Amino acid sequence: MLERNTSQSTASVLLAGVQWLFFIFTNTVMVPLSIGHALGLSPADIAESMQRSFILTGAVCIVQAAWGHRFALMDGPAGVWWGLVLSICASAPAMGMDLGTVAASLASGFILSGTLVIVLAVCGFLSVMKRLFSPSVMGVFLFLIAFQLENTFFKGMVGFDVGGRFDLPIAGLSVVIIAVVALIHIKGKGAFGQFSLLGGIVFGWIAYVLLFGQSSRIDAAGTDVISIWHWLPWGTPHIDPGILVVSMLAGIVNMMNTLTSLTAASTLYGRESTDKEAVKSVVFTNLFSIIAGCFGLIPFGTFASSIGFLENTRVLRRSALIVGASLFIIIGAVPALSGWLVQLPLSVGGAALFAAYLQMFGTAFRTLSSTTYTPKTIYRIALPILTGICVMNLPASAFSDLPPLLTPLLSNGLVIGVLLVLVVENVVKWDRIK
């Protein structure tokens, strides 16, 4: 009986690891691809950067789970940095800079920002930030990130294109995938219900191939694991004062994201994240961010979206994440495996994650339920949430008159909402109003 239980446990961890693999992959693959196109890199350079991204992402997940924050939380290319880099590249002509200079300046910003955040964390700055994070701040952050992610994955799952149209057959398949994920999660008994995301992706991929043929959206022909490591591929570091300042701000915002993720994970796991674990988490994330800057990748961050994934799968074991991250490293090291995995249709991955991230809404709701809101105090969450959502829905052209370097931050509804709730929570005396 003990041997059977052990084998069942091992099989369960392996399946959960494969599920983590698809989660990590879906949240990672588009970053080096879009950054490479924005910087005008060759297909070979993009393929190599994709391999490096897979390997380093897997490595940072393992380090964090084993020695950092010690939660089953994904670390990967940070969304704040992703948006910042794409926006700066688009604004390069307005700043009078060529893409080569922009790339070199960004690499310098990655390295110096990571260094600054490590120094701040070691010097106790996290304790100051923790005092600012009330349940209202946490709830606003989780609501906004849930909206932002669901909006992104919704566009992917319906085949939304640059012309503002969606693909009806692909959208129909996506609806079926969401139903499959939800059905497995709600009706699945025992361990079966924990693999709703994996079941949705496998079903969706097979159905997509049968209906539309195999996707061939990415040329992922790379090279061996040794030759992909080019030192400073974006050029000799160059310091541009504007990019440097914005990079420092992005690094601090990313640190806020880490703290929020750890606080939410503490609630889910039923144990508090210690100050030591928080410091180690920030240090490891930014050490890998410095390494990323040296090899032509954007900085890393702890994914708060992991909370929705954990809520959906109910697999909290760190061993499952370590298995998935290890598989991701292997795939990054073997070009043939990378070439196979990147054929996963975006609509299939988007639909499965759309269903998984619905759980984040419940997490945000429970975070706010500890506080009673009246018609007067509702402003403390309604103002930042609705303002952030409104900013997210504005077209990029609405920010064209802003200074190019401030656009990435001021056009980010998540950043605006979190900064607004921090101000509202720490300036207004809500206890007196109640």
Side-chain angles (χ1 to χ4, degrees), residues 53-370:
S53 181
F54 289 3
I55 293 170
L56 285 181
T57 298
V60 69
C61 286
I62 293 173
V63 169
Q64 289 283 25
W67 301 288
H69 49 60
R70 297 178 61 81
F71 290 121
L73 296 174
M74 174 190 167
D75 271 63
V80 171
W81 283 105
W82 187 15
L84 175 70
V85 172
L86 292 178
S87 182
I88 289 178
C89 289
S91 304
M95 295 186 291
M97 300 172 66
D98 62 87
L99 289 177
T101 303
V102 168
S105 301
L106 284 170
S108 302
F110 299 164
I111 295 169
L112 294 175
S113 174
T115 304
L116 171 66
V117 172
I118 289 174
V119 171
L120 290 175
V122 172
C123 292
F125 186 66
L126 288 178
S127 299
V128 177
M129 294 187 71
K130 274 188 171 182
R131 290 197 291 269
L132 302 177
F133 279 74
S134 65
S136 294
V137 175
M138 280 285 303
V140 167
F141 176 86
L142 292 171
F143 266 122
L144 287 176
I145 198 169
F147 180 87
Q148 184 181 65
L149 290 169
E150 294 292 57
N151 189 43
T152 299
F153 288 121
F154 182 82
K155 290 179 179 178
M157 74 184 220
V158 300
F160 190 80
D161 61 22
V162 293
R165 298 177 297 273
F166 70 91
D167 190 311
L168 186 58
I170 287 179
L173 175 59
S174 296
V175 171
V176 176
I177 294 172
I178 292 174
V180 169
V181 174
L183 188 63
I184 295 175
H185 182 245
I186 295 171
K187 295 293 186 179
K189 297 184 182 298
F192 181 68
Q194 297 177 334
F195 301 109
S196 56
L197 178 65
L198 179 60
I201 288 178
V202 172
F203 166 82
W205 199 346
I206 293 173
Y208 187 98
V209 172
L210 293 176
L211 293 172
F212 310 114
Q214 179 60 59
S215 169
S216 58
R217 58 185 174 82
I218 300 175
D219 179 10
T223 53
D224 65 87
V225 70
I226 302 299
S227 59
I228 63 174
W229 300 99
H230 306 295
W231 184 255
L232 298 175
W234 288 3
T236 304
H238 171 81
I239 295 179
D240 177 85
I243 291 179
L244 181 61
V245 170
V246 174
S247 296
M248 297 302 177
L249 292 174
I252 294 174
V253 170
N254 202 35
M255 191 184 341
M256 291 166 50
N257 175 60
T258 297
L259 281 179
T260 307
S261 302
L262 296 186
T263 303
S266 296
T267 303
L268 187 62
Y269 277 80
R271 72 169 182 86
E272 284 296 322
S273 173
T274 66
D275 291 340
K276 185 177 181 180
E277 287 173 336
V279 171
K280 286 194 296 183
S281 175
V282 171
V283 169
F284 282 135
T285 294
N286 285 278
L287 280 176
F288 274 88
S289 295
I290 293 172
I291 295 172
C294 294
F295 290 102
L297 300 172
I298 71 170
F300 292 97
T302 303
F303 277 39
S305 56
S306 303
I307 302 299
F309 175 79
L310 294 173
E311 291 268 17
N312 182 273
T313 63
R314 303 192 296 277
V315 180
L316 303 183
R317 288 167 291 185
R318 290 179 293 150
S319 57
L321 171 59
I322 292 173
V323 169
S326 300
L327 292 173
F328 202 46
I329 292 175
I330 294 171
I331 285 172
V334 181
L337 293 177
S338 302
W340 168 75
L341 191 58
V342 297
Q343 301 310 312
L344 173 67
L346 281 179
S347 60
V348 173
L353 289 178
F354 182 87
Y357 284 165
L358 293 175
Q359 298 295 328
M360 287 195 70
F361 184 88
T363 304
F365 185 79
R366 287 192 297 274
T367 301
L368 292 173
S369 64
S370 60

Side-chain angles (χ1 to χ4, degrees), residues 388-409:
I389 291 175
C390 289
V391 173
M392 289 179 189
N393 282 286
L394 289 175
S397 57
F399 304 94
S400 58
D401 293 333
L402 294 176
L405 285 174
L406 292 180
T407 301
L409 295 178

